[in-house]
Amino acid sequence: MNATTPALRLIEPSRKSFPNTATPPPGCRRCPRLAAYRAENKATAPSWFNGAVPPLGPATARLLILGLAPGRRGANRTGHVFHGDASGAFLFHGLLAAGLATGHYDGASPTALSLPDIAISNAVACAPPGNAPARTEFDQCARFLKAQMRAMKHLHIVLALGGQAHRAFLRLLGLTISAHPFGHGAQYNLTISGRHIPNHTSGKIRLINSYHCSRQNTQTGRLTPAMFAAILTSVKTQLAHL
């Protein structure tokens, strides 16, 4: 390591970064369909995490990356957001290439990565059947996502991965989706109030959209590494000018 290389700071996927109210308990039963699906996975793969997955990273982060829900063989297996499947590999390799993260990606553990200015979460905390949460499940999990957001006093940029994450975030702020349509590369300057994030440092959040880094998108070419790199470059540039 040379003198210009930032020191690696290990961040564990711990609830200590956020208040307990920001994450449902691992055995949350607010959504009967998701609870039943967790039970099915536990019966077939008892060594997996099979629970509500907590956010990753510090509540002091200026960037929140918001996905859809844990993948069955990804975060549902490892217990770490976006770890253990192809979506996570695509995301973290992109962050590393853009210089937004340091270290290296290990699908089994987040401790190989340093994410000092990034928090990563999902709109729904439990893996859904077919990777498709129901609207009622988004609504049940909104209270936890809202608590995460309220804890992020320095939050300035939200990178929404996919249309459903984009819409879930807009609903948290009470904003109309028709006035803020999802589109890859679309960006919106949003005004937030104290009821959304008490004592927020600026009262402004930049919402940036990207197609989700699911295999369905990356293997079909809908989202290429170059397209994702362009989004992350924009994020990095804007963070540098805050």
Side-chain angles (χ1 to χ4, degrees), residues 182-227:
F182 174 81
H184 181 78
Q187 302 191 19
Y188 299 98
N189 289 319
L190 307 178
T191 299
I192 59 171
S193 68
R195 67 186 177 88
H196 296 126
I197 305 181
N199 303 313
H200 187 263
T201 54
S202 71
K204 302 287 184 181
I205 286 179
R206 182 79 162 171
L207 175 61
I208 301 177
N209 291 170
S210 172
Y211 291 136
H212 195 284
C213 46
S214 65
R215 292 183 67 174
Q216 181 180 359
N217 287 335
T218 59
Q219 290 191 340
T220 60
R222 189 183 194 204
L223 178 64
T224 66
M227 290 169 63

Side-chain angles (χ1 to χ4, degrees), residues 8-183:
L8 180 65
R9 183 159 71 93
L10 304 183
I11 295 178
E12 298 179 0
S14 169
R15 297 171 194 271
K16 294 178 182 178
S17 293
F18 288 89
N20 290 336
T21 55
T23 305
C28 179
R29 303 194 65 81
R30 288 183 178 273
C31 303
R33 188 180 75 116
L34 300 188
Y37 190 56
R38 287 201 318 266
E40 291 177 20
N41 286 316
K42 186 174 182 179
T44 58
S47 65
W48 290 6
F49 179 74
N50 294 318
V53 179
L56 173 66
T60 54
R62 295 181 300 164
L63 169 62
L64 171 65
I65 298 176
L66 185 62
L68 173 60
R72 177 180 176 271
R73 298 185 62 87
N76 177 67
R77 175 172 60 87
T78 65
H80 308 304
V81 176
F82 275 100
H83 277 72
D85 58 14
S87 295
F90 189 96
L91 170 63
F92 289 116
H93 286 144
L95 292 174
L96 288 164
L100 288 166
T102 58
H104 69 275
Y105 171 66
D106 179 345
S109 172
T111 57
L113 283 165
S114 177
L115 303 167
D117 206 18
I118 302 174
I120 307 176
S121 190
N122 281 312
V124 174
C126 294
N131 201 33
R135 175 58 189 272
T136 56
E137 292 157 358
F138 280 103
D139 294 343
Q140 286 292 338
C141 246
R143 71 193 69 198
F144 302 108
L145 186 57
K146 185 178 295 184
Q148 293 170 28
M149 185 176 71
R150 286 175 62 85
M152 299 186 73
K153 310 301 183 185
H154 304 280
L155 178 62
H156 286 284
I157 298 177
V158 174
L159 174 58
L161 302 179
Q164 296 203 66
H166 165 83
R167 290 186 286 273
F169 184 73
L170 290 176
R171 287 194 292 267
L172 285 186
L173 299 181
L175 298 175
T176 59
I177 294 170
S178 60
H180 308 85
F182 174 81

